[in-house]
Every structure is written in structure tokens, then in C-alpha cells.
Amino acid sequence: MPMSMRRVPAVPVLALAGVLALTACGPAASGSAKGSASTTTKAPSKPSAEVLYSKARASALAASSVHLKGDMTSDGEHLLLDLAGTKAGDVTGSVGAGNEGTFELRRVGGTVYLRSTKEYWKKNAGAEAAQMIGDKYVKLPADAAEGMDDLTVTSLLKSMFEDKSMPAFAKLTTRVEAGTVNGQDAWVLSDRVGGDDAKLYIAADETHHLLRVSMPTGKDKGTMDFTEWDAVNPITTPAASQVAKIPGM
């Protein structure tokens, strides 16, 4: 039974585009001054934006695992990302990409398992394949899984921090305020002179974990939260009963 996997590699590309969309519009270098924020800045012990950004970057890139969850729009495409993964490259979660649909995936030891709707499989692999797969995972052939190589939390974090706009958060024009993310104390980095309301939330404790990237306005906008730093449970392959048996694959 022939099955087309041509569109599968578009998933990581769209996910990566969403992550970069949130960082491509960082603090501006100039502009008119904004009004005062509603949050209250902390006392003199408040660290500088440069120190906070540097520590958050180092902490993120050294982490063994993390769970990231984002809701964003990039070039008019609505993207939903919910991925937990390890530095070794294992990942589990889902990616929703506009007209592409929503995909559940697991990547364990380089092997990729993908699950989607019958409508997706019917459109991309035919009615017979859709009936055979049902609501089970498909173990992707090596050539089809090749496009998933960049869909790891390490790759996404690296791409995010390597984006040219991210270091703007460490500039002297960055405002540092006290805030919270899901009840956790945080330092909030934002632009004090114009900009586009981009904000970086960094844990106020000694971990300096990145907690949130927020871009509430503009063409590319959205929010991405980061949790379970160094605490993601081991990721395992789907049970055999949950993997579709497809002739020739």
C-alpha cells in the first residue's frame, strides 16, 4: 500500500518558525518612551538585564530536559506547540499547525512515531491507509523522519537563543521588573524605549530558568511557557498495540 509522507517534514519547520517568531521582535533599539508599568520593581538587589539574560541562556542550553508550551501566530499561521523533551533528542507531545492539522509525536532514540486524524491520513496517504491506521501511531520510515531531526527541545532552544533579536533583551535599554508566572516569582525583561511589548520572564531564584517568552502584539505574536526544567520523565516508545501495522513499513 503506497503511503505519501511528503508533508510530514513541514511539522518541525512550522514549529521552529513559531519559536523564532516570538524572538524576532525583541526589544527595540530606539523609540519613544513608554509609560510606567503596573508591576513594582524590587529593591536595589535587582539584577541587571545583561546578567539575567546571560544566566537564563546558560541555564537553558545546559538543561537536560524541558517542557515547552506555546500558542502563537507566525505569518498568519496559527501554531500550537506542546513538547517535552530531553537533551538526548527524545521528545513527546503535539504540534498543531493551521491547515496541517494537529500531530501527536514521539521521538525515541531517533525513531519517530506520529499520530494524527483519519482526515489527515486520508488526505495524505489515501482512504485505505487512513482506515488501516485509525487512531494509532505510525512508525515513520527513516527518510520521512529525517525532517524531524530539528524538532527537539535542544534544537528549538538553540535556535531561539541564536536568533539575532534575542540578545536585545540584555541591552541597557531593557527594563527589569518583578512579576510572576503561574505563581512563581520572576524578573520580567522588556524594552523601556518603544519596542513591541516583547517580554522575557526569568525565574527570580538561583536557577534563573526561562519561564516565558511573550509577544502580545504585532504580526508575529504569542506566548511560550517553559516548565519541568531538568525534570521531564523518561520518554518511552508507544505500546506495540498503539502502533499501526502497515505492510511494507
Side-chain angles (χ1 to χ4, degrees):
M1 175 190 64
M3 286 187 61
S4 171
M5 296 289 184
R6 289 191 304 271
R7 300 183 66 188
V8 170
V11 180
V13 172
L14 289 168
L16 184 57
V19 173
L20 296 180
L22 292 185
T23 61
C25 302
S30 63
S32 57
K34 288 186 178 180
S36 60
S38 58
T39 52
T40 305
T41 54
K42 285 192 175 180
S45 59
K46 178 172 63 177
S48 70
E50 182 179 9
V51 167
L52 284 169
Y53 175 82
S54 176
K55 289 186 175 181
R57 182 182 186 281
S59 174
L61 296 181
S64 62
S65 63
V66 67
H67 181 179
L68 51 91
K69 190 171 185 179
D71 185 338
M72 63 213 87
T73 299
S74 175
D75 290 331
E77 188 88 44
H78 185 211
L79 305 171
L80 292 171
L81 194 65
D82 188 352
L83 295 175
T86 67
K87 195 170 188 176
D90 292 349
V91 64
T92 184
S94 62
V95 177
N99 294 330
E100 293 286 338
T102 298
F103 306 80
E104 292 180 47
L105 63 96
R106 281 198 217 173
R107 185 175 189 270
V108 183
T111 300
V112 177
Y113 300 85
L114 186 69
R115 178 160 63 182
S116 191
T117 62
K118 284 186 178 181
E119 289 73 21
Y120 170 81
W121 293 120
K122 185 176 181 180
K123 180 179 179 181
N124 292 280
E128 184 182 353
Q131 185 64 32
M132 187 174 294
I133 295 168
D135 60 356
K136 294 184 177 183
Y137 284 94
V138 171
K139 181 179 177 181
L140 298 187
D143 57 343
E146 202 172 283
M148 295 286 187
D149 289 347
D150 288 334
L151 192 53
T152 67
V153 293
T154 299
S155 294
L156 293 175
L157 287 170
K158 221 178 147 187
S159 297
M160 184 175 73
F161 279 105
E162 286 179 352
D163 185 87
K164 62 182 180 181
S165 298
M166 277 294 276
F169 281 107
K171 291 184 177 179
L172 293 175
T173 55
T174 300
R175 177 191 288 116
V176 178
E177 302 173 289
T180 60
V181 175
N182 299 323
Q184 183 174 352
D185 289 338
W187 293 113
V188 186
L189 278 59
S190 60
D191 196 7
R192 70 169 76 243
V193 285
D196 41 28
D197 298 325
K199 290 182 174 63
L200 209 63
Y201 295 75
I202 297 171
D205 59 24
E206 68 280 358
T207 66
H208 297 101
H209 285 152
L210 177 62
L211 301 179
R212 174 176 292 169
V213 176
S214 175
M215 184 67 227
T217 62
K219 178 184 174 184
D220 293 323
K221 59 185 178 180
T223 300
M224 184 169 291
D225 284 354
F226 301 80
T227 59
E228 295 183 81
W229 287 104
D230 300 310
V232 171
N233 290 325
I235 297 166
T236 58
T237 58
S241 61
Q242 288 299 306
V243 180
K245 290 182 173 61
I246 303 173
M249 289 184 64

